[in-house]
């Protein structure tokens, strides 16, 4: 809180725009405008000049920037929409730009096209299922959005079932729409989740951390017990182990790992492995 207050005072006292490279890992506030160093091949090292970030793809643009959660494109500017720490991931080519996002402790999910989420079927209206995904309104799911589904061969979906699917429509002006098939018409792991297991909710930041390719937490959990696990970008996790006790242990570990250090996590895993 003290850090956020100092940043707010500094932002109000000084200029509105801030250089992104100087605030990476620091708290940014909604409404701030980001400045990035322009990459010019003709200039030597240290010759970059701070300019407002231009997101328009033109012939003169040499830097491609992807806006992640917490950032919004507004014309040719990049504005902060959430309070949190600014993060950056360099592109594989190393040509500048990359992905920028704000790492916040947000729990309310805003649907994004292409996100894989876990939803709960709340109602059936004609040929459409209403699915609670944790957003401001339920998503719609057609019975034809399952692998092999036809008018005669309808999927066995009941109110209260857990659905793992992805968004094909998600914007502020339309109702979100889900499907349980990929672009080739295959389920690819999506559909109705089994009746057993445990569903719990964590922060969106922890979900992104667990889904990282090099996440050590998932590797350590996989060595502890045999398990089935499903992650939803809406902050929901479904886990199932061999016994109810093991399922509860895994759920408690995943919920607490957000605030644990690597050493604390290793101590817990070593104790569980010995028991």
């Amino acid at each position: 809180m003290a850090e956020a207050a100092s940043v707010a005072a500094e932002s109000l006292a000084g200029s509105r725009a801030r250089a992104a490279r100087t605030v990476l890992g620091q708290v940014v506030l909604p409404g701030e405008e980001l400045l990035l160093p322009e990459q010019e091949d003709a200039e030597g090292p240290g010759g970059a000049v701070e300019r407002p970030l231009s997101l328009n793809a033109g012939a003169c643009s040499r830097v491609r920037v992807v806006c992640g959660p917490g950032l919004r494109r507004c014309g040719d500017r990049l504005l902060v929409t959430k309070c949190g720490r600014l993060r950056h991931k360099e592109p594989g080519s190393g040509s500048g730009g990359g992905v920028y996002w704000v790492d916040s402790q947000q729990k309310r999910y805003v649907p994004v096209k292409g996100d894989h989420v876990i939803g709960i079927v709340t109602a059936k209206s004609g040929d459409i299922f209403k699915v609670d995904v944790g957003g401001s309104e339920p998503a719609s799911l057609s019975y034809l959005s399952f692998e092999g589904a036809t008018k005669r061969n309808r999927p066995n979906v009941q109110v209260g079932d857990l659905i793992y699917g992805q968004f094909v429509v998600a914007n502020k002006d339309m109702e979100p729409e889900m499907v349980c098939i990929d672009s080739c018409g295959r389920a690819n792991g999506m559909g109705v989740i089994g009746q057993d297991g445990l569903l719990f909710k964590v922060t969106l930041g922890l979900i992104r951390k667990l889904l990282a390719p090099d996440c050590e937490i998932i590797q350590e959990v996989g060595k502890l017990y045999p398990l089935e696990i499903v992650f939803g970008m809406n902050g929901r996790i479904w886990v199932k182990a061999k016994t109810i006790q093991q399922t509860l242990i895994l759920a408690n570990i995943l919920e607490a790992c957000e605030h644990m250090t690597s050493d604390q996590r290793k101590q817990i895993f070593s104790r569980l492995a010995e028991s």
Side-chain angles (χ1 to χ4, degrees):
M1 293 296 294
E3 184 180 357
S6 63
V7 172
E10 188 178 311
S11 177
L12 292 174
S15 60
R16 186 177 174 218
R18 306 172 69 193
R21 62 181 180 180
T22 63
V23 295
L24 287 177
Q26 299 182 19
V27 175
V28 292
L29 300 177
E32 290 191 43
E33 181 179 349
L34 297 184
L35 298 176
L36 297 182
E38 185 182 47
Q39 304 292 331
E40 293 289 347
D41 296 336
E43 297 179 359
V49 180
E50 293 291 346
R51 296 185 55 184
L53 172 63
S54 178
L55 298 178
N56 293 330
C60 60
S61 177
R62 297 182 175 87
V63 179
R64 181 170 183 259
V65 176
V66 178
C67 304
L71 300 174
R72 176 180 297 175
R73 175 175 176 171
C74 184
D76 60 349
R77 298 180 301 163
L78 190 63
L79 300 179
V80 180
T81 60
K82 296 179 184 177
C83 179
R85 297 183 181 273
L86 182 65
R87 305 294 187 187
H88 177 235
K89 181 179 179 181
E90 293 285 350
S93 59
S95 58
V99 181
Y100 286 84
W101 75 95
V102 177
D103 190 5
S104 63
Q105 298 299 317
Q106 179 181 352
K107 287 191 174 182
R108 183 173 182 179
Y109 175 70
V110 179
V112 178
K113 182 179 179 180
D115 275 3
H116 288 74
V117 297
I118 299 176
I120 304 173
V121 179
T122 58
K124 181 181 179 182
S125 177
D127 297 333
I128 301 296
F129 299 102
K130 295 296 182 180
V131 183
D132 173 26
V133 293
S136 58
E137 60 178 335
S140 62
L141 174 66
S142 172
Y143 75 94
L144 293 174
S145 298
F146 292 83
E147 182 180 4
T150 62
K151 291 185 177 181
R152 291 187 176 181
N153 183 26
R154 297 192 174 214
N156 184 19
V157 180
Q158 305 297 329
V159 174
D161 285 350
L162 299 180
I163 299 290
Y164 180 64
Q166 65 175 341
F167 285 111
V168 291
V169 175
N171 58 60
K172 61 181 180 180
D173 301 318
M174 297 180 63
E175 180 186 41
E177 181 179 342
M178 289 178 59
V179 296
C180 293
I181 51 176
D182 57 16
S183 58
C184 299
R186 299 294 183 182
N188 198 16
M190 294 180 284
V192 180
I193 302 177
Q195 297 294 330
D196 298 330
L198 177 66
L199 178 71
F200 58 98
K201 187 173 177 60
V202 297
T203 62
L204 304 183
L206 178 58
I207 284 291
R208 290 192 291 268
K209 181 179 180 181
L210 294 174
L211 289 176
D214 56 347
C215 180
E216 297 180 353
I217 300 174
I218 299 302
Q219 298 176 5
E220 294 171 350
V221 167
K223 297 177 182 178
L224 191 60
Y225 301 125
L227 76 156
E228 299 177 36
I229 191 166
V230 180
F231 296 102
M233 289 299 295
N234 55 343
R236 291 173 177 171
I237 300 177
W238 178 86
V239 63
K240 177 184 177 182
K242 194 172 183 180
T243 64
I244 297 178
Q245 181 182 9
Q246 292 179 358
T247 301
L248 294 174
I249 290 174
L250 292 173
N252 290 331
I253 291 175
L254 291 173
E255 285 182 323
C257 66
E258 184 176 11
H259 307 290
M260 287 192 300
T261 63
S262 178
D263 294 336
Q264 291 174 338
R265 203 167 56 243
K266 290 180 180 179
Q267 290 179 2
I268 293 176
F269 283 126
S270 61
R271 292 175 184 175
L272 290 174
E274 293 174 358
S275 61

